[in-house]
Amino acid sequence: MGGQGTGDPRLVFAAELTRLRRRLPDLSDEALARRASAMVLPSGRRVLVNARRLGEWTSGQSVPRQFEAVMALVRAIEQAAGGATSDRTAVARLQSLWRAAREHRGGGPVTQVPEQIAPPPRKSRAPIVIGRPPSDAAALRRRDAFAERIDEGLTDDSVRRILLTGAGGLGKSQLAAAAFHRAKQRTELLLWVAADNRASILDGYARAWRALSRASVTDDGPNPGNDPGSDDETQADLFLAWLRSAGASWLVVLDDVDDVGEVAGLWPAGEAGRTVVTTRRRDASLLHPGVRVIPVGVFTAEEATGYLAERLSLDAGPAVESAAGSQGLSTTHRPEDLAALATVLGCFPLALSQAAAFLIDTGMDLPSYLSLLTDERESLAGLFPSSSPADEHDGTVTSTLQLALERAESLAPPGAARALLELISLLAPDGIPEMVLLGPTTRAWLGGDRPSGRGELPARISLLALRALHRLSLVTHRGPSGPAVVEVHSLVQRAVRDCIPGDRRAGIAGAAADALEEVWSSPECAPATMTMLYRSAEALLAHAGDHLWNDGGMHPLLRRLGPHLAGLGRHAAARTMAKELADRAGRRLPGGHRDLLTLWAQVAQAEGDLGNTSDAVRLLAELRSQAEDSLGQADPDTLSIRLHEARLRMESGLIVAALADFVTLAAETRSVLAADDPLVTAAQEHAALCRGLSGDAEGAREAYTVLATDLERSLGPRHPSTLRILTDLSRWIGETGDVRSAVATFRKAVDGLTGVLGRLHHDTLVARHNLAYWHGMAGDHDLAVEQLVTAAEDAERVLGAEHPMTLTCRANLAFWRGASGDTAAAAEQLERLQSTVEQVFGADHPRSLRVRQQRAELLYRAGDHTTAMSQLNAVLADMVRVQGADHPRTRETGQLLTDWSGERDAAAP
């Protein structure tokens, strides 16, 4: 600039400021002004520095009125540049240049006009507040976690906009209003704008500009009154331009942005301020650098019950007469009823508010209202009427959701978004596999259900429909970083179901069942996916179960429910499910129908797995006879009943008879079914097991080795079926005497099952138990105890204290503790456990006999040889009677008794 040779002190001072300013070439004037305003001077004060004035100072157009502003700039530049602090000489020189510039400008001594000084941290003037945020809702919840995240964003230099997104009625506006009020402590201009349409946004900006025309935010601020504008558009433009250059701090809240296109060209921007946006939208156009997205969800359970308790306590209610005859207020609601209401409503804030208003307005007691809510015949519109509005919310639960659905429909092909949401409404809210909603079956149904009726939709079109629902926060579509699933709130589902015409419900239910079956029947269906499919099938059965039956029978999906539960070790739940379905089938289907026979066979299997093997075998024999008569001996359903009849006969100890059945069944299944059919594999597996149990351990090991090799080749080494067979093979490797190899093979199976199914899956728990047991057989007693402690705790937590897996873990834990040295205490534990095992399984069940055998062994180790031998003699007699003389446990017990007798004879004088 060459100010040194001009003779104009203002230009000389400007040149010095410019030299300092060039040390931070990448920092904007706005950012530097903010940093300077934040600097604490030696006097303890802060000086507000305006970005526009900073430009004027470096260009020589004006001179700061007070030197403290110059010092704030110098300190901010030195701090940001990381250089040394200016010494007194440099400061004195700069002050001399500033004074010369001021005197030249004024033609005489400087008149000390006070700079706008802000004693830290509070400004002396009140902020300018424009617009009306909603009032606090009655019984307002603080939601501190959200408040902290919002405030962190508002003070983060990298964040320019906070986006509060979520479904309508979650309390986004209340959170924004609370942040708006908190910001008054540190912000000079605050504007609240109803942003549901463009005209409202323009009106809010115009009002803000008119307010600024009548008041200045800082002494250094612009003078809006110089150009007040002639209409809303002009005034809005002037306001947005002011925000970009303002040095004063500002906060603009755009509440309820309904259409992102309505805000085009109207987004607030400027270094001195922040914007908070509330919206149900999740469009890509809302996501930019500098935007922090804060998803707003439902209340926590504690927040929901706390809200209801406080809100309903405000209702004085009618005066009621107490037992003593005195008049008083209505009784307090029971905590369990409040918790139940919160659960039924899914902790959804708008629904909680409307429910509380309805209860207060109608005087209805809480249990009665809960009964109505759980009755699918009652509509949400009737339970959340507009005559009982929520606090500070214009819409009802149903109108809010319907508005969102209308917006979603505009983003997808005609009819697709609504049709897809109708299908979703019948499934589980907490996780629907994406492939169910995007697969061929759903696409075909969506295509036929659209007004054009053009058949199966292209994959991209069905994805657009799903994403449209996601963009309006009606569903949450997760992926691709995590599991590809779709989640939806239960109240959204209920509202949609209310609007499905009766003549369409059967078609939607059938399409949903077909879509679930399509995914479940795939060989690639993972166990975690099966769990989600089960939950959706269970929900579908509850919401539209009557439509899953016809004259030909039940939907194939229903056959999977009981076996899925049994595969998880939940045999009691499997029995309940199969019994309920069998009762439904009995009212719809004739006797001897394959579905009816299959369901009763599932009931019998669960009975047997719970320990009632004799009744289970008897029922399965009756069902087998009926199936052979009505379906034929070679029918797959008949063969399946025969398989489980033989399995439970084996479980009851009839090993030789079961082996003959399995050998015959394996041959028959191979002749009528594909070689890789699960029924063929199951027959071969049980035949191998029976070989081992009948005394042929080498034969069992060989058969399991062949089976494991075949499955690894056809299904892969990590398939659950392959890993389960590997677990069985491990046992018979050990039974042939190769204990160390058995442990190594068990460890491989456990690692595989843990990775594929998870450590708490029933099959994994079985493998973990067996690995621990064989560690004990290998002499690693302490490791066996350590692993059994964990397995027993996990089994009890997942399956229950009296589940067969839990009892087996506890029994072997006690045995190996005794083998480790604490024999007396372990024997007492087994004695207490024996009564529970016999109660669950029956006295003659192999598990009951095994516990008695183990207790006798511990008594012998503890030195009570007489009692031990007496008990083991009794156990051996029962084993021979129940399991046969060739059963491995029978032979093991006989050999143990022989050894004890030999030791006694050797010790005799």
Side-chain angles (χ1 to χ4, degrees):
M1 185 163 49
Q4 296 286 358
T6 65
D8 187 338
R10 292 174 302 177
L11 296 181
V12 175
F13 173 70
E16 184 64 20
L17 278 187
T18 301
R19 183 186 65 80
L20 290 169
R21 176 70 181 88
R22 285 173 180 166
R23 295 178 64 186
L24 299 173
D26 297 328
L27 193 67
S28 67
D29 284 353
E30 289 81 2
L32 178 55
R34 281 205 320 274
R35 294 190 180 208
S37 299
M39 297 303 301
V40 179
L41 299 173
S43 63
R45 299 183 297 175
R46 293 191 178 101
V47 180
L48 295 174
V49 178
N50 185 286
R52 184 177 63 82
R53 290 299 176 93
L54 174 58
E56 293 176 357
W57 297 342
T58 56
S59 64
Q61 297 177 35
S62 66
V63 180
R65 291 193 298 270
Q66 196 167 17
F67 187 65
E68 284 180 301
V70 180
M71 283 303 302
L73 275 173
V74 172
R75 284 178 173 249
I77 291 171
E78 289 172 344
Q79 186 180 79
T85 303
S86 300
D87 57 25
R88 292 185 178 182
T89 302
V91 172
R93 178 176 175 278
L94 188 59
Q95 187 173 22
S96 176
L97 293 175
W98 166 79
R99 182 174 291 109
R102 288 292 294 169
E103 290 175 349
H104 180 85
R105 179 187 181 205
V110 176
T111 302
Q112 293 291 327
V113 179
E115 192 83 18
Q116 183 176 353
I117 303 298
R122 175 74 178 173
K123 305 181 301 299
S124 59
R125 66 171 69 246
I128 296 176
V129 181
I130 306 152
R132 288 189 295 272
S135 302
D136 290 347
L140 179 69
R141 300 294 94 185
R142 288 174 54 90
R143 308 186 82 173
D144 291 335
F146 283 111
E148 289 176 8
R149 293 184 65 188
I150 294 170
D151 289 346
E152 286 174 3
L154 291 176
T155 56
D156 188 334
D157 286 342
S158 66
V159 177
R160 315 312 306 167
R161 188 183 304 163
I162 302 291
L163 188 66
L164 301 178
T165 182
L170 290 175
K172 301 183 296 295
S173 296
Q174 288 285 324
L175 289 171
F180 187 84
H181 293 307
R182 290 193 303 272
K184 293 176 183 178
Q185 303 297 319
R186 60 181 182 273
T187 311
E188 295 166 276
L189 171 70
L190 300 102
L191 172 64
W192 184 280
V193 180
D196 56 336
N197 62 77
R198 191 174 186 85
S200 179
I201 299 172
L202 289 171
D203 176 69
Y205 289 174
R207 289 180 58 220
W209 182 251
R210 292 193 295 270
L212 284 173
S213 298
R214 296 188 294 270
S216 133
V217 179
T218 69
D219 293 339
D220 278 349
N223 183 7
N226 292 337
D227 187 3
S230 58
D231 55 39
D232 282 0
E233 287 270 3
T234 303
Q235 291 173 348
D237 289 342
L238 290 169
F239 176 67
L240 290 171
W242 182 86
L243 291 180
R244 283 188 174 277
S245 61
S249 57
W250 54 265
L251 174 65
V252 175
V253 177
L254 298 178
D255 184 39
D256 193 22
V257 172
D258 189 45
D259 185 344
V260 181
E262 295 282 277
V263 199
L266 298 179
W267 291 107
E271 289 290 336
R274 301 289 189 276
T275 305
V276 174
V277 180
T278 71
T279 180
R280 60 169 62 89
R281 303 294 291 256
R282 293 190 279 201
D283 300 61
S285 57
L286 289 169
L287 307 178
H288 299 281
V291 174
R292 176 165 296 177
V293 180
I294 301 179
V296 179
V298 298
F299 281 160
T300 64
E302 293 77 15
E303 288 170 340
T305 53
Y307 169 82
L308 288 171
E310 186 175 344
R311 182 73 179 94
L312 293 174
S313 71
L314 302 177
D315 175 26
V320 294
E321 191 164 329
S322 67
S326 60
Q327 296 290 319
L329 298 181
S330 57
T331 57
T332 303
H333 295 286
R334 297 186 304 170
E336 56 268 32
D337 288 339
L338 296 174
L341 180 57
T343 299
V344 170
L345 298 180
C347 300
F348 199 95
L350 176 58
L352 294 167
S353 181
Q354 269 210 275
F358 183 81
L359 287 167
I360 293 172
D361 289 344
T362 62
M364 183 180 293
D365 64 272
L366 232 172
S368 297
Y369 187 60
L370 279 168
S371 178
L372 292 176
L373 281 172
T374 54
D375 187 348
E376 283 275 336
R377 295 170 298 180
E378 297 287 340
S379 70
L380 283 187
L383 296 172
F384 301 106
S386 58
S387 57
S388 294
D391 295 324
E392 298 300 320
H393 197 284
D394 295 335
T396 64
V397 171
T398 50
S399 68
T400 299
L401 297 176
Q402 286 299 329
L403 176 61
L405 180 53
E406 290 172 8
R407 295 286 187 270
E409 287 191 287
S410 69
L411 303 176
R418 183 178 292 272
L420 186 60
L421 189 57
E422 287 174 341
L423 189 146
I424 291 172
S425 73
L426 299 180
L427 304 178
D430 57 348
I432 306 166
E434 173 194 77
M435 61 193 79
V436 171
L437 304 176
L438 301 181
T441 296
T442 298
R443 296 203 309 270
W445 178 76
L446 288 177
D449 196 62
R450 293 170 63 204
S452 61
R454 294 178 182 174
E456 182 179 326
L457 289 176
R460 63 180 178 82
I461 301 299
S462 57
L463 178 60
L464 282 177
L466 178 58
R467 293 303 294 182
L469 297 173
H470 172 84
R471 288 166 65 181
L472 269 297
S473 297
L474 287 165
V475 305
T476 296
H477 180 204
R478 301 194 184 278
S481 57
V485 298
V486 175
E487 298 169 352
V488 58
H489 195 279
S490 58
L491 280 182
V492 174
Q493 294 179 298
R494 175 77 176 271
V496 173
R497 290 197 301 271
D498 283 351
C499 298
I500 298 176
D503 58 353
R504 283 174 44 79
R505 189 172 289 261
I508 298 171
D514 290 344
L516 293 173
E517 174 65 17
E518 177 183 63
V519 177
W520 207 332
S521 61
S522 169
E524 289 76 32
C525 188
T529 302
M530 291 181 184
T531 299
M532 289 188 287
L533 293 172
Y534 172 81
R535 291 199 298 267
S536 278
E538 194 175 36
L540 178 61
L541 184 62
H543 298 312
D546 289 342
H547 298 298
L548 301 180
W549 303 80
N550 55 43
D551 293 340
M554 66 182 182
H555 195 283
L557 176 70
L558 300 182
R559 284 182 167 230
R560 298 184 180 276
L561 305 186
H564 173 76
L565 293 170
L568 297 175
R570 298 176 56 192
H571 301 298
R575 178 179 59 187
T576 300
M577 174 62 73
K579 179 69 165 55
E580 290 177 355
L581 291 175
D583 289 341
R584 286 196 185 191
R587 295 191 294 269
R588 291 172 170 84
L589 304 175
H593 191 283
R594 68 170 62 251
D595 289 338
L596 188 60
L597 294 172
T598 296
L599 291 171
W600 279 115
Q602 291 179 5
V603 174
Q605 294 162 38
E607 285 284 357
D609 290 329
L610 288 170
N612 189 7
T613 52
S614 57
D615 288 346
V617 169
R618 186 162 49 251
L619 176 56
L620 284 169
E622 295 173 2
L623 294 171
R624 171 178 50 78
S625 177
Q626 294 179 41
E628 290 173 343
D629 291 341
S630 59
L631 306 179
Q633 291 187 347
D635 185 270
D637 286 332
T638 304
L639 295 173
S640 177
I641 293 173
R642 287 175 57 191
L643 174 79
H644 290 289
E645 179 188 3
R647 178 178 68 84
L648 290 175
R649 290 174 70 187
M650 176 192 70
E651 287 283 338
S652 67
L654 302 176
I655 307 300
V656 176
L659 174 59
D661 289 340
F662 283 127
V663 170
T664 302
L665 192 58
E668 292 182 14
T669 55
R670 283 196 300 269
S671 67
V672 297
L673 299 173
D676 59 351
D677 189 281
L679 196 57
V680 175
T681 301
Q684 294 173 332
E685 174 189 353
H686 284 91
L689 177 59
C690 278
R691 290 189 190 281
L693 295 179
S694 63
D696 185 4
E698 291 288 353
R701 177 176 180 172
E702 181 180 347
Y704 272 115
T705 300
V706 172
L707 193 54
T709 302
D710 290 344
L711 289 178
E712 184 171 345
R713 183 173 57 251
S714 60
L715 300 179
R718 300 273 296 174
H719 192 279
S721 296
T722 305
L723 294 168
R724 281 191 287 266
I725 292 299
L726 190 63
T727 302
D728 294 333
L729 170 60
S730 304
R731 172 187 177 179
W732 295 107
I733 292 175
E735 295 286 358
T736 58
D738 192 355
V739 177
R740 291 298 176 185
S741 295
V743 168
T745 311
F746 266 123
R747 187 179 293 112
K748 180 180 178 181
V750 168
D751 291 344
L753 288 169
T754 300
V756 174
L757 301 179
R759 63 190 301 272
L760 299 181
H761 190 279
H762 181 259
D763 291 341
T764 310
L765 287 170
V766 170
R768 287 171 56 194
H769 161 270
N770 291 345
L771 172 60
Y773 178 84
W774 283 93
H775 272 306
M777 293 296 293
D780 299 330
H781 296 172
D782 292 340
L783 182 56
V785 169
E786 178 184 339
Q787 292 183 349
L788 283 169
V789 166
T790 306
E793 291 173 350
D794 288 345
E796 183 168 350
R797 182 170 68 254
V798 176
L799 302 173
E802 294 189 355
H803 189 276
M805 186 71 252
T806 306
L807 294 174
T808 302
C809 286
R810 288 173 59 193
N812 282 316
L813 172 60
F815 176 77
W816 288 115
R817 274 177 172 163
S820 298
D822 193 4
T823 52
E828 291 179 6
Q829 291 175 7
L830 279 177
E831 184 177 17
R832 291 193 297 269
L833 190 61
Q834 181 179 334
S835 61
T836 303
V837 172
E838 291 181 352
Q839 182 179 358
V840 172
F841 295 105
D844 284 345
H845 192 277
R847 284 189 177 90
S848 301
L849 298 175
R850 174 62 172 162
V851 171
R852 290 169 57 193
Q853 174 197 348
Q854 289 176 318
R855 181 168 180 269
E857 286 190 55
L858 292 180
L859 288 174
Y860 191 86
R861 288 171 182 257
D864 190 355
H865 295 177
T866 301
T867 304
M869 293 183 68
S870 173
Q871 290 189 0
L872 198 62
N873 263 310
V875 172
L876 179 60
D878 288 337
M879 284 182 170
V880 171
R881 174 177 55 83
V882 174
Q883 300 174 165
D886 289 329
H887 190 282
R889 290 288 179 231
T890 306
R891 290 187 289 107
E892 175 186 308
T893 303
Q895 184 59 50
L896 192 60
L897 192 59
T898 299
D899 293 343
W900 290 356
S901 298
E903 291 175 6
R904 182 188 58 185
D905 294 343

